[in-house]
Amino acid sequence: MSQNQNNNSNKSNETIDAIVIVVVMVLFGILGYASCNGDSSPRGDGKSKCRNCGRNSVVALGYCSSCYDGFMSWMDRTGGK
């Protein structure tokens, strides 16, 4: 009977381990998504920080000079499409 209890205990421990691993993976996924799309993103607000890279020097259209130049170059190449 003790071997049967041992097997049940091992199965219970394996189940708990699997649940913990799944929960940790889900939390990391949520944190990763939030860091890319939420307020903790390195992008700025377009007023005091660059929309693209987050630099503190906004020149025009919410971008710093480097990102603004790149944006205008892209507009010239694509016609703004």
Side-chain angles (χ1 to χ4, degrees):
M1 187 164 216
S2 73
Q3 186 176 2
N4 195 15
Q5 288 175 344
N6 234 359
N7 287 340
N8 288 340
S9 177
N10 286 341
K11 287 180 183 178
S12 175
N13 287 341
E14 290 173 0
T15 303
I16 291 171
D17 291 344
I19 290 171
V20 168
I21 290 171
V22 169
V23 167
V24 168
M25 289 173 57
V26 168
L27 288 175
F28 274 115
I30 290 170
L31 288 173
Y33 179 78
S35 68
C36 292
N37 297 314
D39 293 332
S40 60
S41 165
R43 295 180 181 185
D45 56 6
K47 296 176 185 170
S48 60
K49 290 188 173 195
C50 177
R51 287 182 188 180
N52 189 42
C53 67
R55 288 188 185 127
N56 289 330
S57 57
V58 175
V59 175
L61 299 177
Y63 298 103
C64 68
S65 60
S66 303
C67 295
Y68 176 75
D69 291 343
F71 177 71
M72 294 309 288
S73 173
W74 173 80
M75 289 286 286
D76 289 342
R77 282 192 318 266
T78 63
K81 296 179 182 177

